[in-house]
Every structure is written in C-alpha cells, then in structure tokens.
Amino acid sequence: MTDKLPACPVEITLQLIGNKWKVLILRDLLDGTKRFGELKKSVTGITQKVLTSNLRSMEESDLVTREVFPEVPPRVEYTLTEIGYSLKPILDSMAVWGYEYKSRLNK
Amino acid sequence: MTDKLPACPVEITLQLIGNKWKVLILRDLLDGTKRFGELKKSVTGITQKVLTSNLRSMEESDLVTREVFPEVPPRVEYTLTEIGYSLKPILDSMAVWGYEYKSRLNK
DNA sequence: CGGTATCCAATTTGATACTG
DNA sequence: CAGTATCAAATTGGATACCG
C-alpha cells in the first residue's frame, strides 16, 4: 500500500480493485457487513485462500475493515470503509453496462 | 466468447474487461483508433505477447475491430466498436474515483 | 511492422490437512 | 468458524528468435 501511485487515475483505481475477485467482494459488501463464511458463499467460485488474501489486501488499502469477535465459534465481520463504499458508482456503471450488453445479445 | 453469461450483470462486465490490461487498452482506444505499435507504447509495461492476446480476446467479444492494411511495412489498426465505446462511463467513473483517492491521500 | 512459435521461469491457484 | 501451512498443479509471463 506504500506503492507509488501511477499518474493516470484509471491506473490508481486498477491498482486497488483491478482484479475480478475484489470487484465481486465489493459488490457483496455494498449490501452491508458480511461474515467471512457469507462472503465465501456469495462470491461464487472463490477459494478460502484467495478470499483471505484479497480481503487482506483490501484491508491494507483501507477499503474494508475487519472485526474479530472473541466468541466460540469465532466470528469475523468485514465492512466497507467510507472509501470502499465510494467505489459504488463504478460498480453501478459496471452493472448497467453488463445488463445492457446482455439485452443486446438477446435481440 | 460462447461462454455462458453469468446472471449477475457485474460478472458479465468482468468477464469482458475484468483484467487490468483490457481496461488500459480501452482507456487508450477511447481517444481514437490506434496502431499496434502505438498501443504497445501507450499501455506502459505491456509485452507484445500479452497485448496481442488481449486484443484478440477483445475482438472476439466485439469490443474492438482490427483492420489490416496490406502495405509495406504492414499497418494494423485497432478501433473500438460501438459496444466497446459504450464502456466509457465505467472508465470515467474509475478515473473520477482514482483522482479523488489521490487527492484524499494528499490531505 | 506486427505479429507467431518456443521454451522456460515465475506467479497464481487448488487441494488437503491442521488449529485457536 | 475462520483461518494458516504446505505442496503440487496449472496458468501466466518474459525472452528470444524468426516470418510475411
């Protein structure tokens, strides 16, 4: 996270969410706080290892916070920070485009 | 490209541009038609092999067209299709976010 | 110039087992 | 439950050479 930032703003964004899994994690956290296990279910196809490493990296970039509840069994919750939440417009435009791309194919 | 499309519109979009290089190629082609060599220069850090394979896959998804001019030396131009161009709002929101993320760090 | 082919190194991922 | 550790397998990436 102490990487130097590229000059191009698009590249800055890519540096933080330029990977499929992060976008999907983001999509699901935009609906609200989720537990590790919930994310594992909702982000279809992701493995535990990959989910963990992406969450760690998103934590480092201050996109998500991780809260551990000292219970048995343990519970860990992930929540978007304000910065993380501010990515919503990007996700929204991706959703709009995907939807229209699909409609177009059905014509 | 005959892959089945996911139900989630965000995933559809990711299937087509869910990789760093495609986004950067897109960013540069939004400014207009470019030759292979120009892209290789403007997409900093990309290798010939990776540029070629991404352009092929974007062609298959109908995001770009490839035009070969039978000259010596040969010239090959890449242009966004209408569908490819319609991705602009996504790139725009990524640029806006990246810009604001950077400003925030400077405070 | 704009590729393709080949080979090899590096990175990423997957599967499984184990633990506080 | 939410991880970490480990090792093998698969995918991706770089370097180089060659071609129409």
Side-chain angles (χ1 to χ4, degrees):
Chain A
M1 183 52 199
T2 20
D3 314 328
K4 244 183 47 197
L5 287 174
C8 167
V10 172
E11 288 185 51
I12 294 176
T13 304
L14 284 174
Q15 199 161 77
L16 298 174
I17 55 159
N19 122 13
K20 170 183 161 174
W21 296 122
K22 285 180 189 165
V23 176
L24 294 178
I25 291 168
L26 209 48
R27 172 199 64 187
D28 292 337
L29 289 181
L30 281 169
D31 292 336
T33 297
K34 286 219 160 59
R35 297 179 61 164
F36 184 84
E38 291 181 285
L39 283 172
K40 191 160 176 317
K41 252 184 232 168
S42 62
V43 181
T44 313
I46 201 169
T47 63
Q48 196 166 34
K49 188 170 151 185
V50 173
L51 177 56
T52 300
S53 84
N54 277 287
L55 285 170
R56 292 287 176 281
S57 126
M58 292 169 81
E59 238 188 300
E60 253 198 284
S61 318
D62 284 315
L63 301 181
V64 307
T65 56
R66 174 175 185 265
E67 189 176 9
V68 181
F69 296 85
E71 308 170 351
V72 176
R75 180 162 52 113
V76 179
E77 290 187 347
Y78 293 91
T79 306
L80 290 181
T81 60
E82 196 200 321
I83 304 185
Y85 192 80
S86 75
L87 286 158
K88 189 174 189 304
I90 301 178
L91 273 282
D92 285 346
S93 55
M94 290 180 70
V96 167
W97 189 88
Y99 181 78
E100 295 193 347
Y101 182 84
K102 190 167 66 176
S103 316
R104 209 183 284 237
L105 290 187
N106 295 335
K107 279 188 219 152
Chain B
M1 183 50 201
T2 19
D3 315 327
K4 245 184 48 198
L5 287 173
C8 167
V10 172
E11 288 185 51
I12 293 176
T13 304
L14 285 174
Q15 200 160 77
L16 297 172
I17 55 159
N19 121 15
K20 169 183 163 174
W21 296 123
K22 285 181 188 165
V23 175
L24 294 177
I25 292 168
L26 209 49
R27 173 198 64 188
D28 292 336
L29 289 181
L30 280 170
D31 291 335
T33 297
K34 286 221 160 57
R35 297 180 60 166
F36 184 85
E38 291 182 284
L39 282 173
K40 192 162 175 320
K41 251 184 233 166
S42 62
V43 181
T44 313
I46 200 167
T47 62
Q48 196 165 34
K49 188 170 149 184
V50 172
L51 177 55
T52 301
S53 83
N54 277 286
L55 285 169
R56 292 288 176 279
S57 125
M58 292 169 81
E59 239 188 301
E60 254 199 283
S61 320
D62 284 316
L63 300 181
V64 307
T65 56
R66 174 176 185 264
E67 189 174 10
V68 182
F69 296 85
E71 308 169 352
V72 177
R75 179 161 53 109
V76 179
E77 290 187 348
Y78 292 91
T79 307
L80 290 181
T81 60
E82 196 201 324
I83 305 187
Y85 191 79
S86 74
L87 286 158
K88 189 172 188 305
I90 299 178
L91 274 281
D92 286 345
S93 54
M94 289 179 70
V96 167
W97 191 87
Y99 181 79
E100 297 194 346
Y101 182 84
K102 189 166 66 177
S103 317
R104 209 183 284 236
L105 290 187
N106 295 334
K107 281 190 219 148

